[in-house]
Amino acid sequence: QVQVAEFGGGLVQTGESLNLSCIASASGFDDYVMGWFRQAPGKEREGVACISWSGSYTYYTGGVKGRFTISRDNAENTLYLQMKSLKTEDTAMYYCAAGPSNGAECELEWRRFEYWGQGTEVTVSS
């Protein structure tokens, strides 16, 4: 079992950048696929990006491709999400999640992830 906790949310203006991080408590971090999800008020949870256990494979939802970058540091048990050119529609609670690795890739499907953080809030104002 692994516990994860998100950091780095805040209030920014449109077009600005923000970096999120997620720290995992347990060893064996590199046994897990990691992902970022978000949920805006009144909307369903949405997958943002995922990364394979090694970091060699990443996948992004279409709305963030080219603006967001997911990465991980297995030595530091840390997952990152660099967000650039933020838009008001990026406003949401952002969650870090961990799921068992099942190969060299990842799948941005929330059911694949077993462990979730409490979330960190990102607000983008115009």
Side-chain angles (χ1 to χ4, degrees), residues 34-50:
M34 299 298 296
W36 287 101
F37 292 78
R38 66 186 180 186
Q39 188 166 18
K43 295 188 176 181
E44 292 187 354
R45 178 170 32 188
E46 174 190 28
V48 175
C50 67

Side-chain angles (χ1 to χ4, degrees), residues 23-105:
I23 299 176
S25 63
S27 60
F29 179 67
D30 55 4
D31 289 335
Y32 295 93
V33 165
M34 299 298 296
W36 287 101
F37 292 78
R38 66 186 180 186
Q39 188 166 18
K43 295 188 176 181
E44 292 187 354
R45 178 170 32 188
E46 174 190 28
V48 175
C50 67
I51 187 167
S52 63
W53 70 270
S54 67
S56 62
Y57 178 89
T58 58
Y59 180 85
Y60 299 89
T61 191
V64 307
K65 200 173 296 184
R67 299 190 297 122
F68 290 11
T69 302
I70 188 171
S71 62
R72 65 190 295 163
D73 184 338
N74 287 345
E76 297 293 331
N77 286 8
T78 304
L79 175 73
Y80 301 100
L81 186 68
Q82 295 178 296
M83 304 185 294
K84 298 181 180 180
S85 303
L86 283 161
K87 305 176 181 180
T88 55
E89 51 262 45
D90 295 317
T91 295
M93 186 72 79
Y94 282 71
Y95 298 92
C96 166
S101 179
N102 192 28
E105 299 183 350

